[in-house]
Structures are given as C-alpha cells and as structure tokens.
Amino acid sequence: QVQLQESGPGLVKPSQTLSLTCTVSGGSISSGSYYWSWIRQPAGKGLEWIGRIYTSGSTNYNPSLKSRVTISVDTSKKQFSLKLSSVTAADTAVYYCAREVWDDFGDYSHFDSWGQGSLVTVSS
Amino acid sequence: DIQMTQSPSSLSAFVGDRVTIACRASQNINNYLNWYQQKPGKAPKLLIYAASILQGGVPSRFSGSGSGTYFTLTISSLQPEDFATYYCQQNYNTPPWTFGRGTKVEV
C-alpha cells in the first residue's frame, strides 16, 4: 500500500518561500498513470487544489496560485516538492500531498492516497 | 473554474438515520465527481468516484448518484464512525480541480 509523507518547515516568514517535500513509499512514483498533487486546507475551511505533476515533469497549476507555485519531482528519491513564493498569512494551512489515479478504463480519476498533512504557518 | 456548491453546510442526525448531502456544479461535469470523508485532524478519504462507484473497502451504506450538474451522497443508516465532514470534488476535462466547501455531519 503506497504511503505519502510530507516534510518541511512548519513556520515561514511573510514574503519568503514555502517549501515542502512529499516522500512516496510502498510503491513506485514513476510507474503507472499517476499524477502527484498538492492540496491545502486552511484551519476550519475547505480544500484547495494547488497543482500536480506527472513523472515526466509535466505540471498543471491552479490559476489562482500559478504565478507563485512550482512543483517538481525527483524520481530517484521517490519525492515530489512544492515551492510557494511570496507567502502571506493567507497561505497558512495544512498542506497535503496526494496521489491521483485513474480507473481501469482510464476515464475517471480520483485522489486515492494522501499524506497525513503538514501544518505551515506564515508569521514573522 | 468550475464552482462546486454543497448543501447543507452542516446537518444534525442520529445513528440509524438516512442522510443525503447534495453537491451542485456550476456547469455540466457529466459524472466526473468524487466524494471524500474527512475526520478532524485527518486527511480526506475517498468514498466514491465517478459519481457512483464505491471505492474498495468503503461500506455499502454509502452511495452516490447524479450526473450533469446535480449529485448526491447518501448514507443509508448513519453509524457512529460516520460523523465527519464530507466533500465533493470535480475533475471534469482539465484542471483546476475544485472541491465543495464541505458538509459537516454531527449529532
């Protein structure tokens, strides 16, 4: 069973860059038709999809964050990473990494595996 | 972006109740709709994908229906472990994927 684990600083100063890494274990990061996503959740609020990466390096980003987001992958380390620049207090949230998979017919995708979440607080 | 609107935002129910949560999309998304359950301090858990397909290991008391712009998640007989927040999520065509704001099911 694949497992995902986020890691990174829990506190980031305003205007700096938030950096998180997701380590994949119990399965391959580069085989199969998987996309690897970042999703965040401010305290007491809903879920916001940030973006995703395919193992080829192809990315998609949420337009609301696109100018500040970079997602990268290191298949040799079985990791993918999130960088969010110029952060403000509004970026304070629990950040999840998740695997997006397709059904057997390749028609429908869904997030089937999630990390436990990493709380990042933006504060001076 | 496609907007997802869930209703109600919260509901009170008892063990054994039949519970239905609605999710409406701002445009036709066919059946590209997933449902997740989230408990406090935990990551979301997939319940249903493609609007009505039960994820493996999920109890059969959960069911999903709908197509186009209107979808529902039904819990046929609410169990104590079902008290949680439920989110719908669309993945129609191309990103960005979007979630509803959630429905909290409480006693």
Side-chain angles (χ1 to χ4, degrees):
Chain A
Q1 181 76 335
V2 69
Q3 293 186 319
L4 289 75
Q5 178 68 58
E6 305 90 351
S7 59
L11 181 65
V12 181
K13 288 181 167 51
S15 80
Q16 294 190 342
T17 296
L18 177 160
S19 296
L20 291 172
T21 295
C22 182
T23 301
V24 179
S25 59
S28 174
I29 195 173
S30 55
S31 68
S33 297
Y34 303 139
Y35 275 89
W36 304 92
S37 280
W38 288 97
I39 296 161
R40 69 180 182 178
Q41 184 173 38
K45 296 189 177 180
L47 299 157
E48 180 180 32
W49 180 81
I50 298 169
R52 69 180 185 179
I53 190 164
Y54 192 59
T55 49
S56 65
S58 171
T59 54
N60 300 104
Y61 298 133
N62 193 321
S64 67
L65 299 168
K66 187 174 183 177
S67 64
R68 300 194 290 130
V69 172
T70 302
I71 297 176
S72 58
V73 65
D74 186 336
T75 55
S76 66
K77 294 182 178 179
K78 297 181 68 174
Q79 294 177 334
F80 62 106
S81 299
L82 168 70
K83 291 189 184 299
L84 181 64
S85 64
S86 305
V87 296
T88 69
D91 296 309
T92 295
V94 174
Y95 286 75
Y96 294 101
C97 57
R99 184 178 76 171
E100 182 180 1
V101 302
W102 268 255
D103 67 347
D104 292 341
F105 301 100
D107 291 329
Y108 299 97
S109 75
H110 44 272
F111 299 112
D112 76 328
S113 300
W114 297 65
Q116 64 184 28
S118 178
L119 174 62
V120 179
T121 301
V122 178
S123 175
S124 55
Chain B
D1 299 358
I2 298 173
Q3 307 303 315
M4 306 302 294
T5 303
Q6 283 185 239
S7 60
S9 56
S10 66
L11 65 89
S12 296
F14 295 96
V15 171
D17 283 353
R18 181 181 181 88
V19 170
T20 298
I21 298 167
C23 177
R24 191 178 298 272
S26 60
Q27 68 180 70
N28 181 7
I29 59 170
N30 292 332
N31 55 341
Y32 290 86
L33 191 284
N34 305 319
W35 288 99
Y36 300 86
Q37 175 194 66
Q38 186 179 34
K39 295 182 179 179
K42 301 294 187 182
K45 171 189 171 184
L46 177 70
L47 297 176
I48 287 169
Y49 64 94
S52 62
I53 300 176
L54 200 65
Q55 172 72 343
V58 174
S60 59
R61 63 181 179 273
F62 291 93
S63 64
S65 66
S67 184
T69 62
Y70 186 75
F71 304 86
T72 59
L73 172 70
T74 298
I75 309 172
S76 60
S77 178
L78 196 67
Q79 297 302 300
E81 60 269 29
D82 300 337
F83 290 96
T85 300
Y86 295 84
Y87 293 93
C88 61
Q89 175 243 330
Q90 66 80 22
N91 57 345
Y92 175 71
N93 200 6
T94 57
W97 306 147
T98 50
F99 293 83
R101 292 191 173 189
T103 296
K104 185 175 184 180
V105 177
E106 50 195 352
V107 179

